[in-house]
Amino acid sequence: MSRILVACEFSGIVRDAFATRGWDAWSCDLLPSERPGQHYQGDVRDILGQRWDMMIAHPPCTYLAVSGARWFTARRREQDDALQFVRLLLDAPITHIAIENPISIISTRIRKPDQIIQPWQYGHGETKATCLWLKSLPPLQPSHIVEGREHHVWRLSPSVSRSKERGRTYQGIANAMADQWSAYIA
C-alpha cells in the first residue's frame, strides 16, 4: 500500500481523496483535523523522514502570496523563514512531491511553478489561481471544466475563519490529484 503525507492540511480533503482510493493517507498540521481520519497534529518536520511515497504540501502562504506584497518590506524575516520551509519541503526525502500555493514569491525566489490550475477546470465555477511545483509527478489535466468565473475566495469578508476558508482545497482538485497521481504511480 502506498503512503501519502498531506502536509499543512487541517481540512482532511486531500487526505480523504487519497484514502478512498486505497492509500495509507495522513494529513499533518499544527491544527487538529476537521474530519476524522489519520492526522498528525504537530510540525511536519517531525515526520518528514518517515517512509512516504508521495507528499502534497500546502505551506502557509501568509508571507509568500503576492496578494500581500504591500507588507513584504516589513516582514522580510518571516518571508525568508517561509521560503526556507518551502525549500525544506521540496528537498524532503520523498520521491513524488507537489507543493501547492497561490501566485507567490516562490516563483521568483525558488523556481517557477510547473503549472497553474483553476477550480473551474475541476468542477467548481470559481477562480483561484493555484500554482503547483512538482517533483516526479505529471501536471494535472483538467477533469471537469465548468462555466462561471466567480471570485468567491477573494471576496470573503474579514473574519477569524477567513484564512481557513481561503486555504481549503476544492474537492474537485483533490479528486483529480488522487485519480491522476494514483494512476501515474501505479
Side-chain angles (χ1 to χ4, degrees), residues 14-176:
V14 177
R15 176 201 64 208
D16 291 353
F18 278 86
T20 60
R21 288 155 180 86
W23 286 72
D24 180 14
W26 286 80
S27 55
C28 173
D29 199 274
L30 297 173
L31 298 172
S33 180
E34 292 181 334
R35 300 178 178 193
Q38 298 186 116
H39 181 75
Y40 176 81
Q41 185 177 346
D43 192 324
V44 69
R45 290 172 270 224
D46 297 341
I47 61 172
L48 272 181
Q50 295 180 12
R51 294 174 9 175
W52 304 104
D53 298 297
M54 184 187 325
M55 176 178 65
I56 298 173
H58 310 274
C61 64
T62 305
Y63 304 112
L64 299 171
V66 296
S67 58
R70 64 182 169 199
W71 294 289
F72 281 177
T73 304
R75 297 178 173 168
R76 205 152 313 270
R77 188 176 66 82
E78 293 91 342
Q79 190 176 75
D80 289 342
D81 290 346
L83 286 164
Q84 183 178 353
F85 183 62
V86 170
R87 285 185 189 96
L88 175 91
L89 294 171
L90 281 169
D91 294 337
I94 301 169
T95 303
H96 306 283
I97 295 175
I99 305 291
E100 177 274 340
N101 229 249
I103 305 293
S104 72
I105 61 165
I106 297 171
S107 300
T108 56
R109 302 275 301 274
I110 296 177
R111 68 175 173 91
K112 295 211 178 296
D114 294 287
Q115 88 178 111
I116 300 173
I117 60 174
Q118 291 279 354
W120 55 264
Q121 296 172 309
Y122 302 91
H124 304 275
E126 300 177 24
T127 61
K128 180 185 177 191
T130 302
C131 299
L132 297 175
W133 290 264
L134 305 171
K135 173 184 165 188
S136 300
L137 286 170
L140 286 178
Q141 298 303 309
S143 60
H144 182 200
I145 295 176
V146 297
E147 294 300 315
R149 302 294 185 264
E150 176 68 30
H151 297 288
H152 171 73
V153 172
W154 178 73
R155 291 187 179 161
L156 287 173
S157 55
S159 72
V160 272
S161 62
R162 184 172 191 248
S163 64
K164 286 176 90 171
E165 294 302 318
R166 290 177 61 127
R168 279 191 180 76
T169 301
Y170 287 88
Q171 189 65 57
I173 293 174
N175 291 343

